[in-house]
Amino acid sequence: MWAMIEKLRVSSVPMMAKGGDTRWRMGAWQIPRGTASHRWTVESSEVVRMVNAMSPVRVRFAPSPTGMLHVGGARTALFNWLFARHHQGTFILRVEDTDDQRNTPEANEAIFSGLTWLGLDWDEGPNRGGPRGPYRQSERTAIYEGYLAKLQAADLAYTDADGSVRFRCPNTTRAIPDLICGETVFAGRTEPDMTVRRANGSFIFHFVNVVDDIEMGVTHVIRGEDHLPNTPRHLDLYEAFGVTPPHFAHIPLILNANGSKMSKRDEGASVAEYQSAGYHPEAVLNYLALLGWSPKEDRELFCREDLIARFTLGGITRGNAMFNLDKCGWLSGQYFHVMEPAPFRDMLLPYLTAAGLQTTADALPDSLLLELRTKVRMLSEAVPLLAALVQDDFPVDAAAVAKLRSQSDPKPLLDALATAFAGVGTWQAADLDAAIGRAAEGLGIKKGALMFPCRIALTGQSGGFGLTTILEQLGRERALDRLTRFS
RNA sequence: GACCCGUUCGUCUAGCGGUUAGGACACCGCCCUUUCACGGCAGUAACACGGGUUCGAUUCCCGUACGGGUCGCCA
């Protein structure tokens, strides 16, 4: 057993500073750059359990309530969550709401609902509690004051002319042993001492971030690469507090289709957009996982258990990635295509209602859903498809109607169909199909030539469900009514 | 501007010195088909550039170019 663990230590980054030395020193972790040896290679769950028992993984997602859950943030949350679940560790949600202007109930809710929609549950955090709380920075002022007192006691902090508190930042050269980027060295600089507390009493991000990570026992900081250049200053703080810093893993950013950093206002930037467009949440999770991380297998579909089992920091890509809506949509379709009718109905019904369609579970039989599931990539696509089937008021495609009229007068065709349908034995696919055949034969035209006008008359659309499905779904009365009323 | 990170098909990626450079989305064609889809099959398409190291570089090193990030009393 120990041999396995030793081997693990060699093949991955040391889990902790050795020999109980809590003082982290620069260069203590020699990570050969540009080699794969620094990558996290833990795979066996047995080994994971052993290591975890020695040094339980604690990670956190620390969003700021900006009013939405950004996809970049969601992916950071996902990577942290996967890492925690893979190592049977703890996933903490901490709300960084030190900026009062942003700290609204709605903004907080946007984070919670986004994470919940994706199924990213937190072990400790708001609405959940935990031993290291509170988990909102706005409620941790006393803790920050305590840490600030430590700094002041050591003469490492002072109040400047503007009334702000500054940290005597050593600004020394720092080598960050990053689990993804390798050892990254930042030369010492001569910058003004960093502010840790504003004149109005509120604390600055860098300070509270470090204090909270210490207080919450965070072992691995997995965050966006945009934080990498800030890390040396964070290290200064850890050193000042005499605490061994956590492991760092900076993940590449998500870019827009035009190559720029995806920001708040960009299309598809908010998780809520995927929710309202009716993407399958498991698919979005799946897609996000594959954006900047790879299980190195020639397949694309991974359920969350698959992801948990496979997730390692070593699989994280080095370069930034552009978000591709097409692929996300395709993946979503893949999930719907194989969905069982019952859960599909459960997901669909509230969505249709919210979209303004008057319908019930009874109006969505299994047979219909089995056909529908292959036609949608997201639930919003089901709305126009279903509109004509579940209600009498439905949109009509003017172009399709125009095309129909340009070909021939549809009236005699529809009358012939209505007659054939009226004499049908049962209002079921086989009989209905036969009736269409008879009508076509009687008119001396092909079946297909009859089905297009029929489709237009019944649904107003040139595409959609199979014609017999439409007929069955509408029922004899409504179908015949629409055929005879079409003009 | 300074500092950091990065660079394989349009996009997401596999590749860790010797491969016909693989997969996926998208695209194109064919098949299936009453429509729209689904599905199946096939195809177009990539190692940024220049130097090294090496018998041999997509893989290792150094430059250049390009992209991104950070340099806030925003997080």
Side-chain angles (χ1 to χ4, degrees), chain A residues 7-73:
Chain A
K7 190 179 171 190
L8 193 76
R9 280 179 176 278
V10 172
S11 64
S12 68
V13 168
M15 295 294 291
M16 302 178 76
K18 290 174 187 166
D21 180 4
T22 56
R23 193 80 190 186
W24 179 81
R25 286 188 299 270
M26 196 187 94
W29 301 335
Q30 285 302 324
I31 297 176
R33 189 170 191 154
T35 72
S37 63
H38 68 280
R39 296 303 181 87
W40 197 266
T41 54
V42 180
E43 291 292 351
S44 156
S45 60
E46 183 58 28
V47 174
V48 168
R49 249 191 299 284
M50 290 189 297
V51 171
N52 195 35
M54 297 164 55
S55 167
V57 163
R58 289 177 62 81
V59 293
R60 48 54 166 190
F61 173 52
S64 164
T66 58
M68 59 129 93
L69 179 60
H70 190 271
V71 289

Side-chain angles (χ1 to χ4, degrees), chain A residues 324-445:
Chain A
N324 184 228
L325 266 181
D326 275 330
K327 186 159 183 177
C328 187
W330 171 80
L331 212 41
S332 178
Q334 294 301 304
Y335 277 76
F336 283 125
H337 294 347
V338 297
M339 251 190 129
E340 293 302 321
F344 186 30
R345 183 183 294 107
D346 290 343
M347 195 181 282
L348 189 58
L349 218 41
Y351 189 90
L352 295 177
T353 305
L357 270 198
Q358 302 293 318
T359 190
T360 61
D362 292 339
L364 303 171
D366 287 4
S367 58
L368 184 71
L369 294 176
L370 249 13
E371 190 175 335
L372 177 65
R373 71 180 186 179
T374 65
K375 295 180 183 296
V376 297
R377 289 151 58 100
M378 52 199 91
L379 297 177
S380 53
E381 295 172 346
V383 176
L385 241 25
L386 252 19
L389 300 192
V390 302
Q391 50 184 40
D392 288 317
D393 183 26
F394 56 90
V396 173
D397 181 351
V401 174
K403 184 185 174 188
L404 174 62
R405 295 196 187 290
S406 72
Q407 289 171 341
S408 61
D409 180 11
K411 192 68 180 165
L413 306 182
L414 298 178
D415 285 344
L417 265 175
T419 305
F421 286 147
V424 90
T426 64
W427 196 261
Q428 285 173 351
D431 283 350
L432 291 166
D433 192 54
I436 297 170
R438 280 200 305 279
E441 205 176 328
L443 291 164
I445 60 175

Side-chain angles (χ1 to χ4, degrees), chain A residues 142-347:
Chain A
I143 295 169
Y144 305 138
E145 283 173 343
Y147 270 77
L148 184 57
K150 288 186 190 180
L151 246 32
Q152 286 165 329
D155 193 32
L156 288 172
Y158 62 93
T159 302
D160 69 11
D162 298 323
S164 305
V165 181
R166 289 176 181 265
F167 165 50
R168 287 191 210 286
C169 196
N171 278 324
T172 50
T173 295
R174 296 287 182 186
I176 300 161
D178 195 273
L179 266 31
I180 293 168
C181 301
E183 184 174 84
T184 304
V185 179
F186 287 86
R189 315 187 65 173
T190 52
E191 283 171 7
D193 288 334
M194 64 187 281
T195 305
V196 294
R197 187 176 207 178
R198 301 182 186 89
N200 69 9
S202 63
F203 289 92
I204 301 299
F205 160 74
H206 302 287
F207 180 78
V208 296
N209 189 266
V210 167
V211 169
D212 285 343
D213 283 345
I214 291 171
E215 279 290 297
M216 294 182 181
V218 170
T219 57
H220 301 257
V221 172
I222 303 170
R223 69 200 343 179
E225 200 179 45
D226 48 340
H227 288 293
L228 187 56
N230 291 150
T231 309
R233 301 296 74 81
H234 295 178
L235 257 19
D236 287 342
L237 247 11
Y238 280 102
E239 188 176 74
F241 291 128
V243 175
T244 305
H247 296 284
F248 290 100
H250 288 94
I251 62 182
L253 273 20
I254 295 180
L255 269 27
N256 278 312
N258 64 14
S260 65
K261 179 182 177 182
M262 191 178 258
S263 65
K264 223 178 146 177
R265 322 189 68 164
D266 294 315
E267 186 199 358
S270 170
V271 169
E273 291 180 49
Y274 299 87
Q275 186 172 3
S276 62
Y279 283 78
H280 193 119
E282 295 300 318
V284 175
L285 185 90
N286 189 156
Y287 178 75
L288 248 22
L290 259 24
L291 194 61
W293 173 77
S294 170
K296 307 182 195 299
E297 288 176 48
D298 280 348
R299 66 183 176 113
E300 314 294 319
L301 270 70
F302 296 90
C303 66
R304 68 179 59 223
E305 288 72 27
D306 288 342
L307 295 172
I308 290 169
R310 290 167 178 71
F311 188 81
T312 64
L313 295 180
I316 292 178
T317 309
R318 308 284 242 96
N320 294 341
M322 291 190 194
F323 196 97
N324 184 228
L325 266 181
D326 275 330
K327 186 159 183 177
C328 187
W330 171 80
L331 212 41
S332 178
Q334 294 301 304
Y335 277 76
F336 283 125
H337 294 347
V338 297
M339 251 190 129
E340 293 302 321
F344 186 30
R345 183 183 294 107
D346 290 343
M347 195 181 282

